[in-house]
Amino acid sequence: MNTAFAVSLVFAGCCSNVVFLELLVRKFPGCGNIVTFAQFAFIALEGFVFQTNFGRKKPAIPISNYVIMVTMFFTVSVINNYALNFNIAMPLHMIFRSGSLIANMILGIIILKKRYSASKYLSIVLVSIGIFICTIMSAKQVSAQKGSTEEDGVYTFLQWLVGICMLTFALLMSARMGIFQETLYKQYGKHSKEALFYNHCLPLPGFLLLSTNIYNHAIFFSQSTPVEIPVIGQHVPVMWVYLLMNVITQYVCIRGVFILTTECTSLTVTLVVTLRKFLSLIISILYFQNPFTVWHWVGTAVVFLGTLLYTEVWTSIRTAMKGDKLEKKAE
């Protein structure tokens, strides 16, 4: 029952979150910082009340370790947000971040000296090829923008290239953070909810460095078209409504993932998150009519095929089917 509830939270929360995020980004491409700040503040407030009992409960993992984790987490979040300012389309942004398996494997081999099976290496090759196809197709679209001069086209392409470099760095940094978190859990035990709180609470002072950008976008949001809220009958700027819905759906998504980690195996969690990413991508393309060629679809399919191969879904399905056949024969 809890598993089905968690899966519904993940799909409902995360897919809705993508819609509201793109509604915000399409109107104000540079609004990522105010969105991230709102999400962090909301989750930190909820964690302060329910996780730390208003600061009275001591953390199981030393704060010094959380500071290191939070520095990486904050850096990844900010860089991912700023990448959207460099001609990075939302579908490409989502596809590129699906390459976290590659980064995790590379750093796992280098740092943890891990070794993987042939199927794992094949899956990484597939994911790499898929991302490469989507990236090349997006590069051609950026270079061939209609109505722009050759000089403008070069400048636009260079901006896009900077965005790709930012996404690559954030991908590797996120993988490093995952490895660091894995070593902490092995040493101190799993405290996912506690980590969720500190990952969102400790970075809040860092947003002071982005206060001007956040303040400017708060003004922009306040100047957006007002809409009437049915229940209270008041008119509120539409961008604030989108932001509120984005924060709520983000919280629902994260809570769903947290419940899944306590109820299911990592394989199930990875599969659910992968399918959620794919559905979010489809929604983004169809609902917002984002440019997506046949080659983009091919690249996307290869990325998710590689991801599913990495999680050994096919092996699990075959094992389950063999188990059912053996049970029927026994009967």
Side-chain angles (χ1 to χ4, degrees), residues 7-296:
V7 171
S8 64
L9 287 182
V10 171
F11 276 92
C14 296
C15 293
S16 301
N17 179 261
V18 169
V19 173
F20 289 111
L21 176 61
E22 187 146 359
L23 286 170
L24 291 163
V25 171
R26 275 177 168 262
K27 184 67 176 178
F28 298 106
C31 70
N33 290 326
I34 190 173
V35 172
T36 304
F37 172 71
Q39 293 174 350
F40 277 41
F42 182 85
I43 294 175
L45 178 61
E46 187 273 343
F48 179 73
V49 175
F50 297 104
Q51 171 60 29
T52 69
N53 193 19
F54 296 95
R56 289 193 288 265
K57 182 181 178 182
K58 293 183 178 180
I61 299 176
I63 292 292
S64 58
N65 288 317
Y66 278 124
V67 171
I68 298 172
M69 189 190 304
V70 160
T71 301
M72 292 187 281
F73 184 64
F74 182 76
T75 303
V76 168
S77 298
V78 171
I79 290 178
N80 275 326
N81 286 333
Y82 267 116
L84 292 170
N85 296 340
F86 291 84
N87 297 313
I88 300 295
M90 187 62 73
L92 178 62
H93 194 272
M94 287 188 285
I95 292 168
F96 210 91
R97 293 178 70 178
S98 296
S100 56
L101 290 175
I102 307 171
N104 284 331
M105 177 174 279
I106 292 174
L107 293 188
I109 293 172
I110 296 173
I111 298 174
L112 301 179
K113 309 300 181 183
K114 287 185 176 181
R115 292 296 177 265
Y116 300 93
S117 63
S119 63
K120 289 286 195 293
Y121 288 114
L122 176 60
S123 69
I124 294 307
V125 171
L126 289 174
V127 172
S128 303
I129 292 174
I131 291 178
F132 178 76
I133 291 173
C134 291
T135 303
I136 292 299
M137 291 301 106
S138 296
K140 288 183 178 180
Q141 288 180 344
V142 169
S143 299
Q145 282 187 335
K146 295 180 180 179
S148 61
T149 64
E150 184 178 346
E151 185 177 342
D152 290 338
V154 172
Y155 176 72
T156 301
F157 175 75
L158 289 176
Q159 270 196 321
W160 174 87
L161 203 59
V162 171
I164 291 296
C165 291
M166 292 172 71
L167 287 177
T168 303
F169 177 80
L171 201 63
L172 293 172
M173 178 67 78
S174 179
R176 182 65 185 90
M177 181 182 71
I179 291 175
F180 181 72
Q181 188 169 339
E182 183 180 334
T183 56
L184 284 183
Y185 284 168
K186 285 181 179 179
Q187 183 176 356
Y188 298 100
K190 288 189 176 183
H191 302 280
S192 302
K193 197 171 182 180
E194 178 184 287
L196 179 66
F197 165 69
Y198 284 104
N199 276 345
H200 289 80
C201 177
L202 294 180
L204 289 178
F207 284 99
L208 290 173
L209 301 174
L210 310 170
S211 57
T212 302
N213 179 272
I214 294 173
Y215 176 75
N216 289 337
H217 279 89
I219 294 176
F220 294 151
F221 282 15
S222 298
Q223 294 172 347
S224 62
T225 305
V227 293
E228 184 177 353
I229 307 299
V231 179
I232 61 176
Q234 296 292 322
H235 285 79
V236 179
V238 66
M239 297 303 288
W240 285 113
V241 176
Y242 291 158
L243 180 62
L244 175 62
M245 295 306 298
N246 175 268
V247 169
I248 293 174
T249 53
Q250 174 74 0
Y251 175 74
V252 170
C253 177
I254 290 179
R255 288 291 296 154
V257 173
F258 169 74
I259 296 173
L260 270 183
T261 58
T262 59
E263 296 287 334
C264 306
T265 63
S266 59
L267 172 63
T268 304
V269 175
T270 306
L271 175 60
V272 171
V273 172
T274 300
L275 293 176
R276 190 278 302 170
K277 286 180 180 178
F278 185 73
L279 183 58
S280 298
L281 180 63
I282 300 300
I283 291 173
S284 174
I285 294 164
L286 298 180
Y287 186 80
F288 293 100
Q289 298 181 343
N290 281 309
F292 223 67
T293 66
V294 174
W295 282 107
H296 280 94

